[in-house]
Amino acid sequence: MTSIIYQAKAGDGFKKQGLKRTNSFFNTPQEAVSEALALKEQMDTTYDNKIEWDYNGKITGSYAKMNFLRGYLGGDRKTKPFYLQIVSLESNEKVSKGSPIEAKKLNTYEKKVIKKVINLFK
């Protein structure tokens, strides 16, 4: 039996590498969004909150690979952006699913992004 699982990923535009927890698969998109925002919080801490996030930007991609938030270091849009992404995968029963790490603080913009992304998955 196959089911859909979700994974949160974040892209570091400065180091040009992706971030994700190993074997972090979730049953619902809500859990994946929560995990992605926790990764965002870690990036903000790493870069001393100098990443300007575009909360009004478009959500791009498909349900299989959805980019839902972009940020730019120092607000410079000419640089490679930071991003948050949810990847949907079909899985078999052998994949272990974990619990997401939670962001410590959510601002109103992040809460709106959560609602927007979850509505797209419905």
Side-chain angles (χ1 to χ4, degrees):
M1 178 179 174
T2 61
S3 63
I4 302 290
I5 57 171
Y6 305 93
Q7 185 174 35
K9 292 185 178 183
D12 188 328
F14 185 71
K15 295 180 184 175
K16 297 180 180 158
Q17 66 182 13
L19 306 170
K20 67 178 178 178
R21 282 195 308 153
T22 308
N23 296 327
S24 59
F25 299 102
F26 307 106
N27 292 321
T28 64
Q30 293 92 336
E31 292 174 334
V33 171
S34 175
E35 175 86 8
L37 290 174
L39 291 171
K40 174 199 165 293
E41 194 172 69
Q42 290 175 1
M43 286 191 294
D44 282 339
T45 303
T46 301
Y47 293 100
D48 297 324
N49 294 320
K50 293 183 180 175
I51 302 171
E52 290 184 22
W53 295 96
D54 184 12
Y55 293 105
N56 296 321
K58 292 183 179 181
I59 296 175
T60 60
S62 64
Y63 293 110
K65 191 175 183 181
M66 181 183 294
N67 292 323
F68 65 93
L69 191 59
R70 286 197 177 98
Y72 301 91
L73 191 60
D76 185 9
R77 293 189 179 263
K78 294 178 184 175
T79 61
K80 187 171 172 98
F82 294 78
Y83 63 88
L84 299 180
Q85 178 181 85
I86 296 177
V87 178
S88 302
L89 307 164
E90 287 189 22
S91 76
N92 54 17
E93 296 178 28
K94 295 180 182 179
V95 175
S96 61
K97 298 171 186 114
S99 59
I101 51 177
E102 300 284 332
K104 293 177 184 170
K105 296 179 184 177
L106 292 176
N107 61 34
T108 55
Y109 298 114
E110 291 169 342
K111 290 177 184 177
K112 288 179 184 178
V113 168
I114 290 171
K115 288 180 185 177
K116 194 185 306 184
V117 171
I118 291 172
N119 285 336
L120 288 173
F121 276 101
K122 288 184 179 180

